[in-house]
Amino acid sequence: MGISDRIEAFITELLKEDTGEWLELRRNELASVFGCVPSQINYVISTRFNPEHGYIVESRRGGGGYLRIKQIKQKNGLIMQTITIIGDSIDEKTAKAYLANLAKQNALEEKLTAVILSGISDNVLTIPQPEKDKLRANIFKSMLANASD
């Protein structure tokens, strides 16, 4: 298990144990625990604890800086947040990541997840870029909005 995996596992465990709304961590303290530089902590946070994976992160840099992490658990809240985050354009890889997170959080049933995936794949959207990613965003948001009813 690499250092990034160990950091992720540590933070995930803290999130499970934490009863508060937000988990607050000090970047420098966490880096010293794992014997790494603070930028390694930033990397793990930005790649593994982001909205695509069902997390909201607040960060303040500097000597008194902190990281605050919150996992989004509410079904419709997660769907509506995903709709908001999608914006006007989304590539297939990012859309799949959002969809996988929604399924993992049980916000979408397996069959519906498969239907949405088939409707937003590059194989189906055969128009040129950047129109493809704009169309994908519109289809994805519409399907999610109807799924949250």
Side-chain angles (χ1 to χ4, degrees):
M1 180 183 286
I3 190 163
S4 293
D5 294 331
R6 290 196 323 261
I7 295 168
E8 177 187 16
F10 180 79
I11 294 172
T12 300
E13 192 60 35
L14 289 175
L15 283 164
K16 287 178 186 173
E17 295 172 0
D18 190 55
T19 57
E21 187 172 334
W22 290 88
L23 171 65
E24 188 167 316
L25 303 167
R26 301 266 182 229
R27 187 179 290 110
N28 288 339
E29 290 173 12
L30 200 53
S32 68
V33 167
F34 287 97
C36 65
V37 295
S39 62
Q40 181 71 38
I41 304 301
N42 291 342
Y43 169 78
V44 172
I45 297 297
S46 66
T47 59
R48 302 183 187 195
F49 295 93
N50 54 37
E52 293 174 7
H53 293 102
Y55 297 92
I56 298 173
V57 176
E58 293 180 358
S59 177
R60 189 176 126 217
R61 296 187 184 260
Y66 62 82
L67 293 165
R68 290 177 20 144
I69 305 170
K70 176 181 179 181
Q71 185 172 15
I72 305 156
K73 296 180 181 175
Q74 183 183 3
K75 176 184 172 181
N76 288 342
L78 184 56
I79 291 173
M80 293 313 296
Q81 180 187 10
T82 303
I83 291 169
T84 303
I85 293 169
I86 290 170
D88 296 332
S89 179
I90 190 168
D91 61 51
E92 182 180 30
K93 181 180 177 185
T94 304
K96 283 181 175 181
Y98 285 135
L99 198 54
N101 182 60
L102 289 169
K104 178 180 157 189
Q105 298 291 328
N106 295 316
L108 295 176
E109 295 176 8
E110 188 176 324
K111 186 170 184 166
L112 181 56
T113 301
V115 169
I116 293 173
L117 182 59
S118 69
I120 62 172
S121 73
D122 278 343
N123 295 338
V124 173
L125 304 175
T126 57
I127 60 174
Q129 291 291 3
E131 290 80 16
K132 179 186 291 195
D133 289 346
K134 290 178 183 178
L135 179 59
R136 181 185 347 268
N138 288 336
I139 292 170
F140 194 19
K141 289 188 291 187
S142 178
M143 289 178 153
L144 289 176
N146 286 304
S148 68
D149 292 340

